[in-house]
């Protein structure tokens, strides 16, 4: 890159001489402390320095200071940082739940989908538990999107030179991150122990830098000698006993106690200290964002005379070499993947080689790789290759074995379970997986599903299941055991997924066995922008089975989401199902309410040949926090049931209001219902249901 560097040097000289007297003011270095969302005060500090024309020669950040500092160093203005914070949904970013707000009955609904395993076995055979309450994968993905405007190898090449401080969990030593992925550096620096998983970087397991240097003045002095260092301290003060009310408060208080010594040691070495008023603000509370930013502004303006004096006596900001935006891709490399996954990634993106680097393509590719079943997280970095760049994808794989425990209970119907769910990966080949789920309760069930490949568009799926069901319907008690096996070829293209297969079933009821087999089909289109709090898009799902080539059984469901305002959502769902009341002793009929199509009929579903239903809900988000949200919904719905002659013989409706607490630690809902039978019910739901495959075997 010699020619490009020479051109940069010439341009620098031109700019220096053209700048005239305005260039006389020197630069300052910022040391930004950690402090959770209290670190939003850093934006106010940056905003005032920007308005006053104070050049920034470098930024060193710890934890939240590394996030705000890293984005500012990437070229984000203070106004853009305000926009980023305003659009940030911390609840969803911290949520480890992958249970969507609406799940159609399908193969994807037979297993709970928590991302935090209770027990896991690594590739080396070691048994491990969760290393933190939250994996932080969503945060990494968001950081990668925000940092994608910069194509750099070293953080010195950013608009403002930058470094992030983390702690080596094995040795307890300070780690200063200055190269590689900016998103990874920010994610590692804010890995608060017990709350977030440690983050692997360069063979080290890193946690929050606040443990060793929560206010990184010493590092700033070492990296930028000769420049005055302004320390911005938002580490906060100790809470009163009455303010310690949650696990996060305990962790926050413990970290403040633990980091106070290193903050006191380093703050004395700063040339100037800015201490915004952040007392009393929880570490994961964005509701005080405006107040915190304003606090940062006010504290900076109070010290502006001293800041100007420092800048006027400081050396000028050093001119930096910048990586040419027109660099092309020299090669694709992969770290952390199996040989098979590495080969697939290289083959998929080798057409990039020789073409200009595209940040949009990088973010999209990371998302595509991360969607594979055996991948936990994906990041990327660049390395110089002459005048061009090598692209390196850094892959974190899921553990070979994960086991989760959970349950579901309600007072409205008898379907209550305790379940164990597991995934075994790399069983026969790299990337294959075996999922299993066992539930016990008033009914029982066992499911196993084997996928030959983590790529949804190239996978065969083999399924085995055994289920016991008992329903108290309007036509009497239905009880049966169902055993099934099937094979499916999966396909995927864009937002569509599909599968064609063949399935066998045996239903045992009333002492008689009913056997059937036939082709199966499923089709899914998913354009929801978020699975847990969608504000736009739709989800359509169709599944069908043709037992003995006689009558096709199918079920189609549709879900639509819309954002009405920051705190209001509108949801609409509808469905149609076709059964066969005359087959398998009547146990292939449809049952309106059995899968909570209408909540008030879940304990006494309506049996028929086919059914149609719809629901509409207005959701108001009352409160959001790191652990989830508190919502209220006003909803209503109707259902129509037809007999085997095609006559609509039963209409039903319900309306109600509910309060729900969806979160990664707890899922609960309290519901008040009224229906067409003038029946008023109060119901509660705890946990996530595991319904099964219906109508597929």
């Amino acid at each position: 890159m010699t020619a490009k560097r020479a051109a940069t040097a010439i341009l620098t000289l031109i700019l220096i001489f053209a700048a005239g007297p305005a260039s006389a003011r020197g630069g300052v270095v910022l040391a930004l402390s950690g402090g959770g969302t209290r670190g939003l005060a850093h934006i106010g500090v940056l905003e005032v320095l920007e308005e006053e024309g104070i050049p920034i020669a470098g930024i060193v950040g710890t934890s939240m200071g590394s996030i705000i500092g890293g984005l500012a160093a990437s070229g984000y203005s203070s106004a853009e940082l305000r926009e980023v914070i305003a659009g940030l949904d911390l609840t969803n970013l911290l949520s480890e739940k992958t249970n969507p707000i609406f799940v159609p009955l399908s193969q994807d609904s037979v297993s709970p989908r928590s991302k935090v395993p209770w027990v896991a076995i690594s590739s080396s055979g070691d048994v491990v538990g969760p290393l933190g309450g939250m994996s932080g994968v969503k945060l990494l993905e968001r950081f990668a999107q925000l940092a994608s405007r910069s194509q750099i190898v070293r953080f010195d090449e950013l608009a403002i030179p930058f470094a992030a401080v983390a702690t080596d969990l094995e040795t307890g030593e300070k780690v200063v991150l200055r190269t590689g992925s900016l998103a990874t550096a920010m994610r590692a620096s804010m890995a608060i122990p017990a709350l977030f998983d440690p983050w692997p970087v360069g063979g080290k397991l890193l946690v929050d830098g606040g443990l060793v240097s929560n206010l990184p003045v010493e590092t700033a002095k070492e990296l930028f000698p000769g420049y005055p260092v302004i320390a911005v301290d938002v580490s906060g003060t100790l809470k009163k006993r009455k303010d310690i009310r949650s696990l996060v408060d305990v962790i926050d208080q413990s970290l403040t106690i633990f980091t106070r010594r290193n903050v006191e040691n380093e703050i004395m070495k700063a040339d100037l200290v800015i201490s915004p008023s952040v007392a009393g603000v929880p570490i994961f509370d964005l509701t005080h964002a405006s107040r915190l930013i304003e606090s940062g502004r006010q504290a900076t303006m109070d010290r502006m005379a001293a800041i100007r004096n420092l800048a006027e006596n400081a050396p000028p900001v050093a001119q930096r070499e910048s990586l040419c935006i027109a660099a092309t891709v020299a090669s694709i490399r992969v770290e952390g993947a199996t040989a098979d996954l590495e080969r697939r990634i290289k083959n998929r993106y080798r057409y990039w080689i020789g073409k200009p680097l595209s940040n949009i393509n990088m973010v999209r590719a990371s998302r595509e790789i991360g969607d594979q079943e055996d991948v936990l997280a994906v990041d990327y970095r660049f390395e110089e290759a002459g005048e061009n760049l090598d692209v390196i994808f850094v892959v974190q794989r899921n553990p070979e074995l994960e086991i989760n425990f959970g349950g579901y209970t309600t007072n409205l119907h008898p379907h209550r379970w305790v379940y164990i769910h597991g995934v075994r990966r790399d069983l026969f080949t790299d990337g294959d997986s075996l999922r299993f789920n066992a539930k016990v309760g008033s009914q029982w069930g066992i499911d196993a599903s084997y996928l030959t490949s983590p790529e949804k568009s190239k996978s065969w799926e083999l399924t085995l299941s055994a289920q016991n069901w008992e329903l108290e319907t309007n036509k009497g008690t239905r009880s049966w055991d169902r055993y099934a096996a099937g094979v499916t070829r999966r396909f995927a293209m864009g937002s569509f997924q599909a599968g064609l297969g063949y399935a066998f079933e045996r239903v045992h009821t009333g002492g008689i066995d009913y056997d059937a087999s036939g082709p199966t089909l499923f089709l899914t289109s998913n354009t929801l922008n978020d699975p847990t709090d969608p504000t736009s898009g739709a989800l359509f799902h169709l599944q069908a089975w043709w037992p003995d080539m006689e009558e096709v059984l199918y079920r189609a469901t549709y879900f639509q989401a819309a954002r009405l305002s920051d705190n209001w959502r509108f949801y609409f769902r509808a469905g149609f199902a076709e059964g066969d009341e005359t087959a398998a002793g009547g146990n292939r009929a449809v049952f309106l309410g059995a899968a909570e199509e209408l909540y008030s009929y879940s304990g006494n579903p309506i049996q028929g040949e086919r059914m149609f239903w719809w629901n509409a809900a207005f959701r108001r988000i009352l409160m959001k926090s790191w652990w989830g949200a508190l919502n209220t919904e006003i909803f209503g719905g109707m259902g129509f049931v037809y007999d085997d002659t095609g006559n609509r013989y039963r209409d039903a409706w319900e309306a109600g209001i509910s309060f729900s607490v969806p979160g990664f630690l707890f899922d609960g809902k309290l519901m008040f219902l009224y229906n067409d039978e003038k029946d008023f019910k109060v119901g509660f739901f705890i946990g996530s249901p595991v319904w099964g495959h219906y109508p597929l075997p």
Side-chain angles (χ1 to χ4, degrees):
M1 305 184 76
T2 305
K4 292 173 184 175
R5 289 176 176 169
T8 301
I10 293 171
L11 179 60
T12 298
L13 291 173
I14 294 173
L15 292 174
I16 290 174
F17 287 112
S23 63
R25 177 174 281 176
V28 299
V29 172
L30 299 181
L32 305 181
S33 83
T37 51
R38 296 188 289 262
L40 298 181
H42 295 317
I43 297 175
V45 176
L46 291 164
E47 195 167 65
V48 173
L49 297 181
E50 185 180 309
E51 293 169 356
E52 295 290 332
I54 305 296
I56 300 176
I59 299 175
V60 181
T62 295
S63 196
M64 190 62 170
S66 75
I67 298 171
I68 301 298
L71 295 179
S74 300
Y76 281 83
S77 67
S78 55
E80 288 176 313
L81 289 174
R82 281 180 178 267
E83 291 179 5
V84 168
I85 297 304
L88 202 62
D89 189 338
L90 194 60
T91 301
N92 279 347
L93 288 176
L94 295 181
S95 172
E96 300 303 311
K97 279 170 51 65
T98 55
N99 287 320
I101 188 171
F102 169 62
V103 183
L105 295 185
S106 66
Q107 277 111 325
D108 293 335
S109 70
V110 298
S111 303
R113 281 186 286 280
S114 169
K115 278 191 175 181
V116 182
W118 286 68
V119 179
I121 296 181
S122 66
S123 57
S124 60
D126 297 324
V127 179
V128 297
L131 299 182
M134 296 170 275
S135 72
V137 172
K138 288 184 178 181
L139 282 172
L140 177 72
E141 294 171 351
R142 182 61 175 147
F143 292 160
Q145 292 172 359
L146 294 171
S148 64
R149 63 166 56 178
S150 300
Q151 296 176 354
I152 51 95
V153 174
R154 300 176 298 274
F155 298 166
D156 287 345
E157 297 167 340
L158 290 166
I160 301 173
F162 172 72
V165 176
T167 303
D168 187 328
L169 186 59
E170 184 177 6
T171 66
E173 296 178 350
K174 177 172 65 177
V175 177
V176 180
L177 300 168
R178 303 181 65 191
T179 63
S181 163
L182 182 60
T184 288
M186 292 189 289
R187 169 61 183 85
S189 181
M190 51 74 65
I192 300 174
L195 283 182
F196 292 101
D197 284 354
W199 205 252
V201 179
K204 298 177 180 179
L205 201 58
L206 303 184
V207 293
D208 197 297
L211 299 182
V212 291
S213 182
N214 199 42
L215 185 61
V217 176
E218 287 184 357
T219 302
K221 291 278 189 181
E222 293 169 0
L223 297 183
F224 304 99
Y227 288 96
V229 174
I230 298 176
V232 184
D233 180 20
V234 296
S235 54
T237 58
L238 292 175
K239 298 176 184 290
K240 300 294 184 181
R241 171 67 182 85
K242 64 183 179 62
D243 297 322
I244 302 175
R245 298 187 294 265
S246 69
L247 170 64
V248 173
D249 291 333
V250 172
I251 294 175
D252 184 16
Q253 185 84 336
S254 301
L255 288 174
T256 302
I257 295 170
F258 190 83
T259 62
R260 173 176 281 186
R261 181 68 60 85
N262 72 56
V263 169
E264 291 175 349
N265 289 338
E266 296 205 44
I267 203 168
M268 294 185 295
K269 301 175 183 178
D271 296 283
L272 186 144
V273 178
I274 298 174
S275 299
S277 177
V278 296
V281 178
I283 59 174
F284 285 143
D285 189 351
L286 285 176
T287 59
H288 300 278
S290 297
R291 170 196 150 190
L292 290 167
I293 294 173
E294 184 57 34
S295 175
R297 284 186 58 87
Q298 186 60 51
T300 308
M301 289 188 290
D302 291 344
R303 304 303 308 273
M304 186 48 62
I307 293 171
R308 289 194 191 99
N309 184 59
L310 285 178
E312 289 168 359
N313 293 283
V317 174
Q319 299 297 324
R320 296 173 298 281
E321 297 177 359
S322 60
L323 196 62
C324 181
I325 201 74
T328 60
V329 177
S331 70
I332 305 290
R333 289 157 48 190
V334 182
E335 295 179 356
T338 63
D340 180 64
L341 179 57
E342 179 180 356
R343 175 187 55 79
R344 286 188 275 117
I345 293 173
K346 287 182 175 180
N347 288 341
R348 184 162 188 171
Y349 304 109
R350 62 185 176 186
Y351 71 92
W352 290 1
I353 296 175
K355 296 182 179 180
L357 185 65
S358 167
N359 285 336
I360 294 177
N361 284 343
M362 293 301 307
V363 173
R364 183 184 296 120
S366 297
R367 187 181 301 115
E368 290 172 350
I369 298 169
D371 283 342
Q372 299 194 52
E373 198 280 333
D374 59 338
V375 174
L376 172 65
V378 182
D379 196 11
Y380 60 86
R381 69 175 191 273
F382 308 121
E383 290 186 3
E384 292 183 3
E387 295 188 356
N388 298 312
L389 293 175
D390 289 335
V391 173
I392 298 98
F393 288 105
V394 182
V395 177
Q396 289 188 49
R397 299 191 69 225
N398 280 310
E400 286 194 353
L401 175 64
E402 292 180 59
I403 298 177
N404 284 279
F405 304 91
Y408 180 68
T409 186
T410 176
N411 65 322
L412 291 184
H413 59 71
H415 309 316
R416 308 179 186 99
W417 309 285
V418 174
Y419 50 68
I420 178 173
H421 168 61
V423 183
R424 176 66 167 90
R425 301 180 178 90
D426 303 332
L427 191 61
F428 302 113
T429 61
D430 286 346
D432 69 347
S433 62
L434 175 67
R435 292 179 176 271
F436 54 90
N437 183 66
K439 59 184 182 184
V440 294
S442 54
Q443 295 86 28
W444 56 266
I446 301 173
D447 286 280
S449 172
Y450 174 73
L451 287 171
T452 60
S453 169
E455 292 187 280
K456 297 175 182 177
S457 60
K458 299 180 179 178
S459 177
W460 286 89
E461 181 179 27
L462 306 176
T463 57
L464 293 172
S465 69
Q467 306 283 338
N468 165 256
W469 282 98
E470 182 172 327
L471 299 175
E472 294 291 339
T473 77
N474 62 319
K475 296 186 178 181
T477 301
R478 294 290 188 185
S479 177
W480 68 93
D481 297 329
R482 192 182 197 199
Y483 308 91
V487 58
T488 302
R489 178 65 167 90
R490 286 177 167 256
F491 308 90
M493 184 176 67
S495 63
F496 288 91
Q497 293 186 44
L500 291 172
Y502 200 88
F504 305 85
E505 176 189 79
R506 167 167 290 183
V507 173
H508 179 80
T509 182
I512 303 174
D513 292 333
Y514 299 90
D515 296 335
S517 66
T520 60
L521 163 73
F522 81 84
L523 175 65
T524 299
S525 172
N526 188 354
T527 59
L528 294 176
N529 63 336
D530 186 273
T532 55
D533 182 22
T535 56
S536 65
L539 171 62
F540 172 78
H541 189 83
L542 169 69
Q543 55 214 333
W545 182 41
W546 196 5
D548 296 334
M549 307 291 191
E550 293 178 351
E551 183 170 349
V552 177
L553 311 181
Y554 61 91
R555 181 183 176 102
T557 51
Y558 177 80
F559 175 79
Q560 177 77 46
R563 177 182 180 273
L564 303 180
S565 68
D566 287 345
N567 293 318
W568 280 97
R569 309 284 188 266
F570 174 73
Y571 302 130
F572 176 79
R573 67 168 178 163
F576 186 88
E578 177 79 21
D580 187 354
E581 280 195 283
T582 63
N587 295 310
R588 291 194 190 131
V590 298
F591 303 96
L592 180 66
E596 297 178 356
E597 295 89 355
L598 295 179
Y599 292 102
S600 59
Y601 285 92
S602 57
N604 185 32
I606 304 169
Q607 179 180 319
E609 181 80 4
R610 63 187 60 88
M611 64 182 183
F612 167 75
W613 72 97
W614 65 265
N615 310 93
F618 291 91
R619 170 177 285 191
R620 174 74 162 86
I621 301 172
L622 301 177
M623 182 180 67
K624 277 192 171 186
S625 184
W626 66 273
W627 45 261
L630 174 61
N631 307 314
T632 184
E633 285 186 10
I634 302 171
F635 63 90
M638 296 187 70
F640 311 94
V641 182
Y642 300 79
D643 60 26
D644 57 1
T645 65
N647 294 320
R648 193 173 86 192
Y649 83 92
R650 181 65 193 276
D651 297 350
W653 60 264
E654 69 178 11
I657 184 171
S658 70
F659 298 91
S660 60
V661 187
F664 79 94
L665 293 177
F666 176 81
D667 244 335
K669 181 180 290 188
L670 177 64
M671 189 174 291
F672 301 89
L673 292 160
Y674 186 77
N675 64 19
D676 60 293
E677 294 185 337
K678 300 181 179 180
D679 191 7
F680 177 77
K681 296 182 179 181
V682 178
F684 68 84
F685 304 84
I686 299 175
S688 301
V690 184
W691 294 120
H693 301 288
Y694 183 84
L696 303 184

